[in-house]
Amino acid sequence: MASMPGSWDASERPASGSGQAHPFDQQDAQTYQTSKILSRRNEYLRTKTITIKIGSWNTGNFSCWEDVKEWFTDKEYEECYGMYALSLQEVVDVNQPSNFLKDINPAIAMRWKAHVQAALPSGYQCVASPQLIGMLLLVFMAPELAVGSVSTATVGTGLMGYVGNKGAVGARIVLGDTLRLTFIDCHLAAYANAVDRRNWDAAEVVRRMWFGPVEKDVVGLAETNTPPAAPAGEGLDKTDVMVWCGDLNYRIDLDNLDVRSLLQPYMPYDLPPTHDGVSSPVVAQPPKFPLTPIEAYPSAATTLQGTIKSLLKHDQLLKQKREGKAFAGYKEGNVTFLPTYKYDVGTVGSWDSSEKARAPSWCDRILWRLKEPPATGEKKDLETGGDEKRHSAASSRDEVFTEAEDEILFETTDNSDSDEEDLIVSRAESPLPQVRPPTTDRPASPVFDDPTSSFETPFGEVKLEQMSYTSHQNITSSDHKPISATFQLEFPAIVPDLRAKIHGEVAREVDKLENERRPVVTMIIDHPGGPPSDGEDVINFGPVRFWERKRRNVTIANTGTSKAKIHFVGLPSADSSEGGPICKPWISLEWLDSKAKHKAELEPGEIINISITLLVSTVNQVLNLNNKLEVLDDVLVLRVDGGRDVFIPISGKWLYSSYGTTLKELIRIPEGIGGFRGYREAEEKQKSKEGPVYSAPREIYRITQFLCDGLADVVSTLGPEETIAEKRWFSQLGWPFLKETWMPIDDERRRMIEVGVYEALDTDRDFDDPECVRVVMSDDEEEVSKEELVETAAGAFLRWLEGLNDGVVPETFWDEIVKAGGDTKASEQVLDHLPEKAGQVHANVFIYLVGFVAEILAILVKKKEGNKKKEMERILGKILEPVARALVRKLQKAAGGKVGTREEEARKAWVRRLWKCRCVCV
């Protein structure tokens, strides 16, 4: 391979067009594009505000789904909410062991989902509905909010620490392609004295809750612009905003009777019972309950809130938060409502009157927590995956929950405070675990937290504000009262139109950088007659004839700055996505400067030459071109690995050829129309004229006459210094029909002379017409001698006869000819059948050609001494095989092997017998 003038030496080639380090030297284009889009987040992120309604209810395995519409939706403000999240517990019986071992009936979740859907305004879509036995979380989004990446997970912490009668379900939803919002619906361990077990349950949820990877188009709010190496799952430590709700089961550390007596003056009165055995009142309209004491005596409100505040000082959850043992960092709104547990079913304000008479407690809670920005010097918000999963989740859990280091056992305990048979965590030596004290002194938190939480990101503030927090005392269909809270969430979210604009700008930048680094090659086509006037890079072969070989050279130069690997590929085929043939069958390619046959590698500045050859050489190719089933035009595809493909169009004008046609078509060509080519061109223009039908094609008459005259001329001509013995017709037995007896000239010159013979044959011109003989020869080619022309014409005539589509003697006679062989009578019978079965023209041509061979033999032996009959026999024996092959078409199935050899001999014997019968000179 050569180099272009002015190209670089190997040591001087630059890495890129600018000579500087290229951005893609250290990262691929996709990573670079993603990083650039992340780095421009300030340009397409804007603050978005949505309102969220959250509810939580332990339904106690009662069929109370129809009551959802009475408390969860707010008819006056329902369309203001962007999201609804409903946290349910005990939608099935969690005390029934069979529910731990079998799949939960999906109809239960579907029924709850349908009732919530019916209670919400039209258009809300349920985007998450994870369930773990009795825990069911339903998340709905407004139609105007785009649903982002959603993932759900479950964690069982019940029996043996893993069964799902206790634990949590979670849903992580990416809002605005930036903010990770997570809802946790939990049901923690029961019993008043199982505080440490509840802490352990919550810690296990944090440690084991694991969501799937977020989608690729999520940009997040982390300061880093480096995309994750690979999509990975993530724990709760990656959540930006987390809302934790459910039946946390934390109780009040006071005597049951004391709590009841403190709250009794403020409890609402119940209507007289109207039915028995029904879990939920069945009324046409919501009942009008009597006024509560606070409603009747507003001055007592201060006393009620004071009572609630006093009781909350003994609330186990608040104690665990203050001591840093559980839910450290989580916030809860101002609790101004009565305890949500435990009531007689069907009553508004009657505490549990069963034998166990459970103490009132705020078991049902809604907490929230925002992600804390990393402290200075710490690694910031790295995407985790693989081996980091356990570490990241555990570190997050250590922030919020303490963890007992000693071995723990799980055991079932009866407790008079509950009718649930739950599990507790204990040491082997004691009924309760020993929890290590916090490592740092934590100041006592106020009873009520600030309802607003926020943190700053490089792209704006994330802010969550609780707007309301209440219970729904009038819902009587469960032993728990449902609770609800509303939040307003502000966060940076993408603006799709702005992101699309930035994406387009970055994509164009990446495309430009790729072009700088992409291998670039330039194609230069060698046009023999000069470049085309239209300036198009097309390889135009011009007029194309049968058997004419045409070549064009194409130079491929590496004009880029990196190595170019090139090879030709095929165009996709119609029935397959895979590439088809590289080119059409009459086109061939040759790499002139490469050791590899089908590919090459070019350094910057190097060039390679490719030779493209066109040659139409088979019957099928000619017939397809003659009949317009194919065209010469083609497109070569030069594949540049990592660069743009180079397309090389090829065109040419096919000139009709009589090669491969039939005798029946040839005898219909009128004289004076310009031969077969003129006849087909006139037919194409619908100007052909019907003439007489000849007994045999004029093409055969003309070429046989030329061969006889030319051969007689060659035999009778003797140069001044020549002797007869030196002449090829005398010394080379079988000349001019045997290739091995021909003059030793260049194969390409021989091909050009043969093309001239076909040109005269197809255009009805003289075979020695210089315009035909030299039709494809250059001006510097030597003149063609009579001897060259005659022997080439003889070979061309045999090729032309053998290529006739129906043959002189069609292949349907093959079996008869093989059977007849050299038998005189049988041979004549085959010939007698020829006009009837194939047509008279076939018999006429065969008989005519047998006579032609006899005349040729007579000319060749005219000047020879001795027994001319024997000499003719000798010559016939030499040329019999190519002549028989031209006259009798061979059946395709009879090719090769011993049987083929026997049949070949029978064909030659048949031709010899008929020749002898019709040649009186022998």
Side-chain angles (χ1 to χ4, degrees):
M1 286 173 285
S3 295
M4 296 179 65
S7 61
W8 298 287
D9 292 334
S11 60
E12 298 175 342
R13 290 177 182 132
S16 68
S18 63
Q20 301 175 353
H22 197 277
F24 296 167
D25 289 341
Q26 302 298 326
Q27 58 187 335
D28 58 41
Q30 184 61 46
T31 302
Y32 177 83
Q33 177 170 313
T34 303
S35 298
K36 289 290 288 186
I37 293 175
L38 289 174
S39 69
R40 298 180 63 179
R41 279 176 284 182
N42 275 323
E43 299 180 45
Y44 57 85
L45 294 185
R46 298 291 184 270
T47 299
K48 186 176 184 65
T49 302
I50 64 171
T51 305
I52 306 172
K53 178 71 173 287
I54 300 171
S56 181
W57 192 14
N58 186 323
T59 65
N61 191 31
F62 293 105
S63 302
C64 47
W65 41 74
E66 292 184 354
D67 289 342
V68 168
K69 63 181 180 293
E70 302 298 336
W71 67 272
F72 186 52
T73 57
D74 188 340
K75 296 298 181 183
E76 185 176 355
Y77 302 105
E78 61 184 7
E79 295 183 357
C80 299
Y81 296 113
M83 298 182 70
Y84 284 90
L86 179 58
S87 164
L88 299 170
Q89 304 85 47
E90 294 193 45
V91 295
V92 299
D93 187 357
V94 297
N95 294 320
Q96 179 59 253
S98 62
N99 286 332
F100 307 163
L101 305 175
K102 66 179 182 180
D103 293 335
I104 299 299
N105 185 358
I108 298 174
M110 292 173 64
R111 183 176 297 156
W112 275 103
K113 181 177 176 181
H115 278 81
V116 175
Q117 184 84 64
L120 297 179
S122 175
Y124 280 78
Q125 178 184 359
C126 183
V127 297
S129 55
Q131 181 179 8
L132 179 64
I133 304 181
M135 291 166 279
L136 174 63
L137 175 63
L138 300 174
V139 181
F140 290 81
M141 294 183 68
E144 64 271 13
L145 288 181
V147 179
S149 176
V150 177
S151 179
T152 62
T154 63
V155 175
T157 62
L159 181 64
M160 299 304 295
Y162 283 94
V163 177
N165 59 316
K166 291 294 184 290
V169 297
R172 185 212 61 210
I173 301 169
V174 179
L175 297 178
D177 283 342
T178 55
L179 184 88
R180 289 168 167 84
L181 170 63
T182 300
F183 297 102
I184 301 293
D185 169 14
C186 76
H187 193 185
L188 305 184
Y191 311 130
N193 64 348
V195 176
D196 294 315
R197 175 56 195 261
R198 284 188 278 278
N199 294 349
W200 185 88
D201 285 350
E204 284 296 288
V205 170
V206 172
R207 185 176 71 87
R208 289 158 48 195
M209 183 74 71
W210 194 254
F211 298 109
V214 297
E215 296 174 357
K216 292 182 179 180
D217 57 353
V218 171
V219 298
L221 295 170
E223 185 176 357
T224 177
N225 296 323
T226 303
E234 57 187 34
L236 294 178
D237 59 314
K238 297 300 177 187
T239 292
D240 297 304
V241 176
M242 180 156 55
V243 179
W244 191 309
C245 51
D247 183 357
L248 276 65
N249 252 326
Y250 287 97
R251 311 302 172 89
I252 300 174
D253 284 333
L254 289 176
D255 181 76
N256 186 2
L257 292 178
D258 291 341
V259 174
R260 292 187 179 217
S261 62
L262 287 171
L263 293 172
Q264 189 59 41
Y266 314 104
M267 299 304 294
Y269 295 102
D270 283 282
L271 291 173
T274 59
H275 54 276
D276 294 324
V278 179
S279 60
S280 178
V282 180
V283 292
Q285 297 293 331
K288 295 182 180 180
F289 295 101
L291 296 176
T292 65
I294 301 301
E295 293 171 335
Y297 306 99
S299 60
T302 304
T303 307
L304 172 61
Q305 295 305 316
T307 301
I308 291 176
K309 186 173 182 179
S310 298
L311 291 175
L312 285 171
K313 291 181 180 180
H314 303 277
D315 179 75
Q316 292 177 347
L317 174 59
L318 296 179
K319 282 185 179 180
Q320 300 306 301
K321 286 180 59 182
R322 287 195 299 269
E323 296 174 7
K325 295 180 179 180
F327 293 101
Y330 282 80
K331 287 188 174 184
E332 184 180 19
N334 191 352
V335 178
T336 61
F337 47 86
L338 293 170
T340 59
Y341 174 84
K342 176 178 183 177
Y343 295 85
D344 287 338
V345 175
T347 68
V348 174
S350 297
W351 299 118
D352 179 24
S353 61
S354 67
E355 182 180 352
K356 294 184 178 180
R358 272 125 320 172
S361 299
W362 284 280
C363 292
D364 307 282
R365 312 291 273 269
I366 298 176
L367 312 175
W368 75 88
R369 182 173 188 261
L370 270 59
K371 184 176 184 178
E372 295 181 3
T376 304
E378 293 181 1
K379 185 177 286 188
K380 297 183 179 181
D381 190 30
L382 296 178
E383 294 291 343
T384 61
D387 295 338
E388 298 180 18
K389 171 179 175 180
R390 182 181 300 273
H391 170 74
S392 63
S395 63
S396 174
R397 177 241 180 131
D398 289 341
E399 291 181 11
V400 186
F401 302 94
T402 58
E403 182 177 17
E405 295 179 344
D406 299 310
E407 181 181 2
I408 56 176
L409 300 175
F410 301 94
E411 61 183 26
T412 301
T413 302
D414 186 23
N415 191 299
S416 60
D417 181 54
S418 176
D419 55 1
E420 298 182 53
E421 290 191 1
D422 209 345
L423 301 174
I424 65 169
V425 181
S426 69
R427 285 169 168 271
E429 299 87 0
S430 64
L432 293 175
Q434 300 293 324
V435 182
R436 72 172 186 264
T439 56
T440 59
D441 295 331
R442 298 179 183 265
S445 302
V447 173
F448 305 123
D449 294 313
D450 184 349
T452 302
S453 300
S454 65
F455 69 90
E456 288 291 334
T457 75
F459 316 104
E461 184 182 42
V462 174
K463 179 180 178 181
L464 184 70
E465 181 178 2
Q466 189 179 68
M467 312 299 291
S468 67
Y469 187 31
T470 187
S471 70
H472 301 271
Q473 196 72 27
N474 291 342
I475 302 301
T476 63
S477 50
S478 172
D479 54 359
H480 287 250
K481 300 298 181 182
I483 61 173
S484 66
T486 57
F487 292 89
Q488 183 171 284
L489 175 63
E490 296 180 7
F491 62 98
I494 68 154
V495 178
D497 291 343
L498 294 179
R499 181 167 69 170
K501 177 177 177 290
I502 301 302
H503 187 279
E505 293 174 359
V506 174
R508 286 190 291 273
E509 178 188 351
V510 170
D511 186 58
K512 181 180 178 181
L513 291 171
E514 284 185 322
N515 287 337
E516 292 177 359
R517 192 173 178 82
R518 180 182 291 132
V520 179
V521 300
T522 301
M523 176 182 66
I524 305 171
I525 299 175
D526 177 23
H527 299 285
S533 58
D534 56 12
E536 292 186 5
D537 283 334
V538 178
I539 299 178
N540 191 339
F541 283 100
V544 177
R545 299 168 177 83
F546 167 67
W547 207 243
E548 178 184 8
R549 189 195 303 272
K550 287 196 167 186
R551 287 191 178 92
R552 297 289 187 271
N553 286 341
V554 174
T555 300
I556 304 297
N558 184 350
T559 53
T561 58
S562 58
K563 179 185 292 186
K565 296 180 180 181
I566 58 176
H567 59 98
F568 284 99
V569 297
L571 291 170
S573 57
D575 57 349
S576 173
S577 59
E578 299 293 329
I582 291 176
C583 54
K584 291 185 176 180
W586 45 78
I587 297 173
S588 60
L589 309 173
E590 181 182 2
W591 300 75
L592 300 180
D593 307 314
S594 175
K595 294 181 181 179
K597 293 183 178 180
H598 305 294
K599 58 184 178 180
E601 294 185 7
L602 299 178
E603 294 291 342
E606 285 188 333
I607 63 173
I608 189 171
N609 293 304
I610 302 171
S611 176
I612 301 176
T613 302
L614 187 150
L615 173 63
V616 179
S617 59
T618 68
V619 172
N620 286 335
Q621 292 173 9
V622 173
L623 291 178
N624 287 337
L625 291 169
N626 278 348
N627 297 324
K628 303 293 186 181
L629 301 176
E630 285 275 13
V631 292
L632 291 173
D633 296 359
D634 198 2
V635 177
L636 304 181
V637 182
L638 182 66
R639 175 65 44 82
V640 183
D641 292 350
R644 288 190 173 93
D645 292 344
V646 177
F647 297 93
I648 308 175
I650 293 176
S651 67
K653 177 178 173 54
W654 171 246
L655 300 180
Y656 290 111
S657 171
S658 60
Y659 180 77
T661 189
T662 65
L663 293 176
K664 292 182 176 67
E665 183 177 7
L666 291 172
I667 61 176
R668 303 181 67 87
I669 300 175
E671 188 175 359
I673 201 171
F676 179 83
R677 186 177 301 160
Y679 176 72
R680 291 300 296 267
E681 289 174 352
E683 194 175 48
E684 185 178 339
K685 299 175 183 178
Q686 297 182 347
K687 294 182 179 181
S688 60
K689 299 179 181 179
E690 290 295 332
V693 177
Y694 296 97
S695 60
R698 293 182 65 255
E699 286 79 5
I700 294 179
Y701 290 140
R702 293 175 52 245
I703 193 169
T704 54
Q705 187 62 47
F706 169 75
L707 287 173
C708 289
D709 293 344
L711 190 58
D713 190 25
V714 170
V715 169
S716 61
T717 302
L718 192 64
E721 304 295 330
E722 291 181 326
T723 63
I724 291 180
E726 295 174 350
K727 302 294 287 185
R728 307 190 76 79
W729 62 266
F730 185 88
S731 61
Q732 299 293 328
L733 207 63
W735 185 89
F737 294 104
L738 297 182
K739 185 177 180 179
E740 58 268 22
T741 64
W742 292 347
M743 298 173 63
I745 63 174
D746 180 71
D747 288 345
E748 194 55 36
R749 176 178 171 83
R750 178 79 66 185
R751 179 184 295 277
M752 289 188 289
I753 299 172
E754 187 172 350
V755 172
V757 173
Y758 295 130
E759 181 72 7
L761 196 66
D762 292 335
T763 60
D764 197 10
R765 288 187 287 176
D766 293 338
F767 289 93
D768 53 3
D769 183 344
E771 291 187 2
C772 290
V773 174
R774 303 184 63 86
V775 66
V776 295
M777 285 186 171
S778 61
D779 293 339
D780 56 356
E781 279 285 343
E782 295 181 2
E783 291 295 325
V784 178
S785 66
K786 176 67 78 170
E787 190 172 353
E788 279 183 299
L789 185 56
V790 168
E791 64 185 15
T792 302
F797 184 42
L798 292 179
R799 186 193 307 277
W800 186 86
L801 289 174
E802 193 173 346
L804 286 171
N805 198 30
D806 52 355
V808 175
V809 179
E811 63 183 15
T812 53
F813 287 83
W814 180 259
D815 291 339
E816 291 184 55
I817 291 172
V818 171
K819 184 177 180 181
D823 183 79
T824 302
K825 184 176 180 181
S827 298
E828 289 290 344
Q829 288 178 346
V830 174
L831 189 59
D832 290 342
H833 295 159
L834 194 57
E836 178 185 352
K837 294 183 177 180
Q840 186 62 48
V841 63
H842 290 271
N844 294 345
V845 171
F846 178 80
I847 294 171
Y848 176 78
L849 291 178
V850 169
F852 162 71
V853 173
E855 186 174 353
I856 290 293
L857 295 180
I859 294 172
L860 289 173
V861 300
K862 183 177 181 180
K863 289 195 174 185
K864 289 188 177 182
E865 298 178 356
N867 190 328
K868 289 183 171 49
K869 179 179 178 180
K870 288 186 178 180
E871 186 64 16
M872 291 176 68
E873 285 279 4
R874 288 178 59 210
I875 298 174
L876 181 62
K878 280 286 187 178
I879 68 172
L880 188 58
E881 182 175 350
V883 170
R885 191 167 59 243
L887 294 179
V888 180
R889 177 165 292 245
K890 183 178 181 180
L891 198 63
Q892 292 300 316
K893 67 176 183 179
K898 294 181 179 180
V899 175
T901 301
R902 181 185 65 81
E903 292 176 341
E904 289 281 3
E905 293 299 323
R907 174 170 62 177
K908 290 191 292 184
W910 184 78
V911 173
R912 181 192 289 271
R913 174 52 55 194
L914 291 177
W915 179 81
K916 284 185 176 182
C917 293
R918 278 159 176 74
C919 296
V920 295
C921 57
V922 178

